[in-house]
Amino acid sequence: MKPLPKQLDLIGIEKKWQKTWEEMGIYRFDWKDQKRPTFSVDTPPPYPSGEFHMGNVLNWTYFDMVARYKRMRGYNVYFPQGWDCHGLGIEVQVEKENNIRKREIPPDKFRKLCEQLVEKYIAIMKEGVVRLGCSVDWSTEYRTMNPDYWRRTQKSFIILYKKDFIYQGTHPVNWCPRCETAIADAEVDYEEREGNLYYIRFALKDSEERLLIATTRPEYIPACVAVAINPSDERFDKYIGKKIVVPVVNRTVDVIPDENVDPAFGTGVVMICTYGDKEDVKTVIRHELPVIMLLTENGKINENGGKYTGLTVTEAKKAIVKDLDDAGLLEKTQKIRQEIGVCERCKSSVEILERKQWFMKTRMLTDKVETAAKEVVWYPDYMRIRLIDWARSLDWDWVISRQRVFGTPIPIWYCKNCGEVVLAEEDWVPIDPKLENPRIAKCPKCGGHEFIPERDVFDTWMDSSISCAVHAGWPDREDWRRLFPADLHPSGIDIIRTWAYYLMVRHLALFDEKPYKSCLINGMVLGSDGRKMSKSLKNYVAAPEVLDKYGTDASRQWAAGGGTTGSDIPFRWPDVEYGKRFLTKLWNAAKFVSGQLGDYDVGEKYELQLLDRWLLSKAERLTQKVTDAYEKCQFNIALEEIRNFTWHVFCDDYFEAVKDRLYKPEFYGKEKKTAVQHTLYSVLCRIIQLLAPLSPHLTEEIYDAIYRETMGNKSLQLAPWPGINKQRIDEDAEKKGSLVMAVITEIRREKAEKRKPLNTQIGNVKIYAGNAEFARILAENKQDIVGTCKISRIEILPEKGEGRRIPENSETSFVSEY
Ligand SMILES: [Zn+2]
Ligand SMILES: [Zn+2]
């Protein structure tokens, strides 16, 4: 046994163990081990964002707790870590920092800048993950921007292509005009903004009659292809089938019936433009209307806009409104609040454009997604429906091509002569078609010799949504199915619609199997004001600030204990502070225990007394409760149980009640003292075992000093999880012990209220037990009461009587005379 240092240096202890664990290699997955069951974590490779924030602290703590718990339960735990590099956010940031646009410099140069920024960001995040004490197997580290990872993404694309899950098509897509790329539904955020509703007069052809149309997007008038009316709207149904003149451009379009027009919105007459919004897209498909593309890829009006060609959307809106007004066609303008789709990365408003894109057929998998989602275990259970609802809500297939530079290249060429698509073979990848020709002599269709590379790259989710298979070793390891599906997929509540969903469709399509067996959801971190933590709201706290001040173990207690799993968790400094106070309490308890074990040998004979049996029984029940809580990922319950037991039952009650026995072995007998030592030794051990997944550093320090030598595991993290010793559960001892403890506590409480030091001798105490059974129990354990409370003379009577009542046993009371 080693003495524990006098001063508690939490941060020093944490740094020491983080380094030592890594040197010991205790978090390496053992591929050769065929005995232990495996447990694989599908660690989400994060976008390197350049910071490690409290949200990261929350989600990494969650799945690190599970990994550590499973390791102690005897699993061969696989906990990989990668970085999802190709984010649009990186391109936007590189453009900002260097004051350039990606099209202005050569692509390879732009790529280099992106890679450098990513490396800088990864370093910051990696430091955070290490500091949080995550039990990651760093030998698995990977980056999706490396060609070796491209190989996996490209190979999976080729397989999907051959399985007919991929198609190229000209479909309307969400488009960010600032980022100049298509974006998926999941990358569109919605913001409420103030806008105008313009009431515009449309003239019926060859008639004096006018119809009033209300629109928020008059700039789309040049792309108007129809005017729609709900056929059940008696005010207007007579106009259906007539021709109407689109103002400004003087084109004639049909008035069509459409049941989806809401007669209560605006005037009840709607113009259909291609494409003002997603509703327009649906209407165009329903009625097979023509399409007039109005915007260029950088968000300007194209040649279809007539005199407005070359203007931005905002400029065109202004010009068209003015022209309408000048022509007397603008009836009125009304302010409204409206919800606008914006680009998740740059917050520009999203337009809808048609451009040739690559798609994955995801909607045809919706039923399978639902079935699989029902098979997956969700923590908490009610999160399942979020995935199902999202899958059911999707109108379009997944657009997987992006008009960006920093992304995995799409392994496709086109024959220059006939346009035939040439797909790379699986053994050509990784490959960049912009730098290499296809490895075939001639076009299989026309025999042409020249090929044009696909310049688009993959959506970054194409990289990360194969993580479950890639982590398991696909496609290189023959035994990859050993770790597939992943046992645990952790996800933030905000990315169920992306990460959990894309993983699901991707793996279902590739392998016809669900990618994960369980899904652990964490909520968002709120500021202390209860709103979502964000820099702009000034309620933001940076994770390094918290870790510097209170250390990792205390911060992890905030994450584990802040709320139920899946709920949003407010960041409160007092919660972290409380974590530190608890760790200090545990440290002092360990110092006390270690100080009492000088002459103790494990295996020595002992004679357990009532209070020893009481505590040992309670420790078994604690083990049961905490084990159940970890099994259900109820981390807050595990933490609360451990803290209450340690603080109150172990330290406040038991320590005080057995000190007399510890200090006077000549009076009580050696074996009764050894019983206390045995109890202290085993219960402290139990506490640190149960707390180890939650606060691994301090528990390891205590284990190292007191237990390592005798228990033999080189780290507490590798020590087996404590089984429940049923023989130790002793209801009778718990009942009797609680009575004795309640009496001791109340006598001591009275002493404290009288402002007397706790070692003050009490002359006389008369206890009215309230019944014969209680009297017998108290008499049997008289010595503990007398010794702990320093009583000179004690009398225990079976009857009910006067004096101070024991709150837990109201028939019992006592009178003391000092
Ligand atoms: Zn954007
Ligand atoms: Zn050809």
Side-chain angles (χ1 to χ4, degrees):
M1 220 163 51
K2 288 190 251 178
L4 290 155
K6 276 206 180 68
Q7 286 297 318
L8 173 60
D9 170 15
L10 278 176
I11 291 172
I13 288 171
E14 288 165 7
K15 292 223 163 100
K16 175 180 84 181
W17 285 112
Q18 282 159 16
K19 193 166 161 277
T20 312
W21 286 328
E22 191 53 32
E23 285 163 5
M24 288 173 162
I26 61 173
Y27 302 133
R28 299 276 181 276
F29 179 73
D30 188 349
W31 286 98
K32 288 193 204 101
D33 182 352
Q34 296 292 338
K35 266 197 240 130
R36 284 181 297 161
T38 58
F39 185 86
S40 59
V41 180
D42 175 46
T43 321
Y47 280 139
S49 64
E51 61 168 343
F52 194 71
H53 52 71
M54 291 312 288
N56 300 134
V57 170
L58 180 65
N59 67 58
W60 254 282
T61 300
Y62 268 29
F63 52 88
D64 185 57
M65 286 190 286
V66 178
R68 287 179 182 278
Y69 169 70
K70 291 289 178 182
R71 211 175 274 117
M72 291 178 79
R73 294 235 59 156
Y75 287 85
N76 186 6
V77 171
Y78 185 61
F79 189 168
Q81 184 66 63
W83 307 100
D84 186 13
C85 308
H86 288 135
L88 174 56
I90 295 289
E91 284 192 355
V92 173
Q93 190 59 26
V94 163
E95 290 183 322
K96 236 196 248 166
E97 280 184 12
N98 297 280
N99 199 22
I100 48 165
R101 297 301 295 267
K102 63 185 168 190
R103 309 266 181 241
E104 292 166 6
I105 64 168
D108 53 329
K109 228 171 145 187
F110 187 76
R111 233 199 112 82
K112 266 272 152 322
L113 290 173
C114 290
E115 283 172 9
Q116 283 164 6
L117 184 70
V118 165
E119 285 301 341
K120 200 172 98 188
Y121 282 179
I122 287 177
I124 296 167
M125 288 194 90
K126 185 170 176 179
E127 195 194 330
V129 177
V130 169
R131 261 196 90 178
L132 196 61
C134 295
S135 53
V136 166
D137 179 349
W138 287 108
S139 71
T140 63
E141 194 178 358
Y142 65 91
R143 286 159 172 71
T144 59
M145 65 182 177
N146 289 351
D148 188 53
Y149 197 95
W150 289 7
R151 178 171 61 90
R152 298 161 213 266
T153 305
Q154 291 177 332
K155 186 178 168 110
S156 73
F157 171 78
I158 294 165
I159 294 172
L160 290 182
Y161 195 105
K162 289 180 175 165
K163 288 180 94 171
D164 198 27
F165 274 101
I166 303 291
Y167 65 95
Q168 194 178 31
T170 304
H171 287 263
V173 288
N174 299 306
W175 187 271
C176 175
R178 201 227 67 94
C179 299
E180 292 182 43
T181 181
I183 58 178
D185 280 348
E187 292 166 303
V188 179
D189 280 348
Y190 289 89
E191 280 185 4
E192 216 187 75
R193 291 188 184 167
E194 179 140 290
N196 287 315
L197 191 58
Y198 301 91
Y199 288 77
I200 300 162
R201 298 188 192 101
F202 279 51
L204 281 145
K205 194 171 160 67
D206 306 325
S207 157
E208 289 301 297
E209 268 191 286
R210 305 233 154 141
L211 281 181
L212 204 55
I213 288 178
T215 176
T216 56
R217 307 216 63 182
E219 66 274 26
Y220 266 93
I221 285 178
C224 175
V225 291
V227 164
I229 282 165
N230 190 312
S232 67
D233 191 340
E234 287 167 7
R235 297 172 297 173
F236 303 115
D237 58 357
K238 59 179 183 234
Y239 298 110
I240 290 171
K242 300 223 152 108
K243 302 263 181 207
I244 196 163
V245 181
V246 181
V248 180
V249 290
N250 289 319
R251 228 170 353 89
T252 304
V253 298
D254 293 334
V255 179
I256 59 165
D258 193 292
E259 276 161 6
N260 292 307
V261 172
D262 175 7
F265 178 78
T267 61
V269 186
V270 176
M271 66 170 188
I272 309 300
C273 302
T274 51
Y275 294 106
D277 58 29
K278 268 187 141 177
E279 275 313 305
D280 287 342
V281 178
K282 290 186 202 162
T283 316
V284 166
I285 295 169
R286 238 184 349 258
H287 298 279
E288 296 178 1
L289 295 170
V291 172
I292 300 175
M293 286 315 303
L294 189 64
L295 292 190
T296 64
E297 294 185 358
N298 58 3
K300 296 207 166 132
I301 306 291
N302 67 15
E303 64 284 357
N304 290 330
K307 66 184 273 209
Y308 308 105
T309 303
L311 298 183
T312 64
V313 169
T314 321
E315 289 164 352
K317 178 183 276 187
K318 230 184 241 165
I320 290 178
V321 169
K322 184 171 181 297
D323 289 349
L324 289 167
D325 201 15
D326 290 349
L329 297 174
L330 184 67
E331 170 124 346
K332 63 175 176 175
T333 306
Q334 193 186 330
K335 288 248 171 285
I336 56 158
R337 303 284 307 168
Q338 58 180 152
E339 210 176 52
I340 292 198
V342 298
C343 167
E344 164 184 76
R345 294 290 155 189
C346 75
K347 304 295 170 201
S348 307
S349 57
V350 168
E351 301 291 345
I352 294 168
L353 235 64
E354 274 196 351
R355 187 189 180 283
K356 226 177 204 187
Q357 302 281 0
W358 288 99
F359 292 84
M360 176 177 163
K361 294 178 188 168
T362 45
R363 284 177 308 163
M364 62 187 256
L365 289 164
T366 300
D367 287 342
K368 280 192 172 180
V369 169
E370 182 162 348
T371 308
K374 285 176 180 160
E375 287 166 21
V376 170
V377 179
W378 294 78
Y379 304 105
D381 188 63
Y382 61 84
M383 292 294 173
R384 172 182 294 110
I385 196 68
R386 293 202 173 221
L387 179 65
I388 296 172
D389 283 352
W390 172 254
R392 293 236 165 268
S393 78
L394 292 169
D395 298 321
W396 299 346
D397 279 332
W398 177 13
V399 49
I400 57 172
S401 49
R402 291 292 182 275
Q403 293 63 53
R404 301 206 281 109
V405 176
F406 188 49
T408 303
I410 299 177
I412 291 270
W413 298 259
Y414 305 94
C415 169
K416 195 173 178 182
N417 184 42
C418 74
E420 174 76 354
V421 170
V422 178
L423 175 72
E425 290 299 326
E426 284 182 38
D427 57 357
W428 299 359
V429 298
I431 197 162
D432 186 346
K434 295 189 284 300
L435 306 178
E436 265 185 77
N437 267 324
R439 295 171 198 167
I440 48 174
K442 51 185 201 274
C443 167
K445 196 169 163 195
C446 75
H449 291 280
E450 279 185 89
F451 300 95
I452 302 166
E454 172 59 85
R455 308 203 77 86
D456 286 358
V457 295
F458 283 123
D459 174 13
T460 184
W461 289 107
M462 279 292 281
D463 298 335
S464 50
S465 61
I466 46 172
S467 65
C468 294
V470 169
H471 289 160
W474 180 87
D476 302 324
R477 293 193 67 97
E478 264 175 30
D479 60 349
W480 69 277
R481 283 203 177 255
R482 190 180 165 201
L483 295 178
F484 183 88
D487 290 285
L488 182 76
H489 170 69
S491 172
I493 190 167
D494 55 331
I495 51 173
I496 292 175
R497 62 181 191 166
T498 47
W499 226 311
Y501 174 72
Y502 288 141
L503 280 170
M504 194 55 97
V505 287
R506 209 60 192 297
H507 290 88
L508 284 174
L510 279 168
F511 310 113
D512 205 17
E513 193 168 347
K514 64 174 187 287
Y516 42 84
K517 295 178 196 159
S518 73
C519 195
L520 168 62
I521 304 295
N522 66 271
M524 298 289 101
V525 176
L526 308 175
S528 51
D529 57 358
R531 291 188 291 175
K532 191 176 167 183
M533 190 181 266
S534 104
K535 280 178 180 153
S536 59
L537 290 174
K538 306 220 178 322
N539 63 359
Y540 183 85
V541 181
E545 194 187 334
V546 182
L547 297 174
D548 282 345
K549 199 162 175 197
Y550 292 105
T552 295
D553 279 353
S555 305
R556 290 170 65 110
Q557 290 197 18
W558 159 77
T564 54
T565 301
S567 65
D568 290 347
I569 294 192
F571 176 77
R572 287 179 294 237
W573 283 106
D575 289 359
V576 194
E577 248 169 69
Y578 185 74
K580 187 179 174 183
R581 283 202 349 253
F582 170 70
L583 293 167
T584 310
K585 183 85 185 173
L586 176 63
W587 174 254
N588 288 329
K591 277 210 302 196
F592 171 75
V593 171
S594 136
Q596 300 309 320
L597 297 179
D599 59 346
Y600 170 70
D601 273 325
V602 180
E604 218 175 322
K605 252 184 94 187
Y606 53 79
E607 201 182 302
L608 292 178
Q609 300 301 295
L610 174 69
L611 292 183
D612 307 328
R613 283 184 278 119
W614 168 78
L615 185 72
L616 290 167
S617 181
K618 278 183 167 288
E620 295 304 332
R621 289 200 197 274
L622 172 76
T623 307
Q624 181 73 65
K625 282 185 209 156
V626 172
T627 305
D628 288 349
Y630 278 123
E631 285 293 333
K632 293 179 195 150
C633 293
Q634 293 171 334
F635 312 115
N636 59 324
I637 293 176
L639 176 64
E640 202 181 307
E641 292 288 346
I642 297 168
R643 289 208 289 216
N644 277 338
F645 177 87
T646 308
W647 203 304
H648 304 299
V649 181
F650 190 48
C651 296
D652 290 354
D653 292 347
Y654 184 75
F655 281 12
E656 294 310 325
V658 296
K659 275 180 183 165
D660 203 53
R661 210 161 8 122
L662 272 175
Y663 300 154
K664 287 191 228 153
E666 64 290 352
F667 179 78
Y668 289 89
K670 174 92 171 63
E671 288 180 9
K672 290 187 184 169
K673 177 188 170 176
T674 310
V676 178
Q677 291 173 313
H678 167 79
T679 308
L680 288 173
Y681 178 86
S682 40
V683 173
L684 176 66
C685 183
R686 187 64 61 88
I687 290 169
I688 61 168
Q689 284 178 302
L690 298 178
L691 189 63
L694 250 148
S695 289
H697 305 85
L698 188 70
T699 49
E700 182 82 319
E701 181 77 5
I702 295 170
Y703 176 83
D704 182 56
I706 304 178
Y707 299 99
R708 190 150 87 113
E709 232 170 86
T710 36
M711 287 178 64
N713 293 92
K714 62 181 174 178
S715 162
L716 175 58
Q717 295 297 323
L718 302 179
W721 189 253
I724 289 120
N725 184 345
K726 289 235 167 71
Q727 281 162 345
R728 278 265 152 96
I729 296 181
D730 183 341
E731 238 168 88
D732 187 53
E734 282 185 51
K735 224 171 87 194
K736 289 178 178 166
S738 297
L739 174 68
V740 175
M741 203 50 90
V743 170
I744 291 176
T745 304
E746 205 51 30
I747 296 174
R748 281 165 61 85
R749 193 176 289 149
E750 187 200 51
K751 203 185 262 188
E753 282 170 17
K754 286 183 194 273
R755 300 187 177 282
K756 296 193 187 293
L758 284 173
N759 58 3
T760 306
Q761 202 67 25
I762 311 176
N764 197 14
V765 171
K766 191 182 272 184
I767 299 176
Y768 297 98
N771 62 53
E773 194 204 341
F774 283 10
R776 192 171 37 76
I777 296 168
L778 292 172
E780 276 168 17
N781 297 280
K782 192 169 73 178
Q783 203 48 52
D784 283 325
I785 304 173
V786 167
T788 306
C789 302
K790 316 282 174 217
I791 299 167
S792 302
R793 214 180 140 265
I794 191 163
E795 223 180 318
I796 298 168
L797 303 164
E799 62 258 35
K800 281 189 185 169
E802 48 172 357
R804 189 177 170 113
R805 306 243 148 243
I806 310 294
E808 295 85 349
N809 300 69
S810 59
E811 57 255 70
T812 313
S813 65
F814 70 91
V815 178
S816 62
E817 287 162 22
Y818 280 80

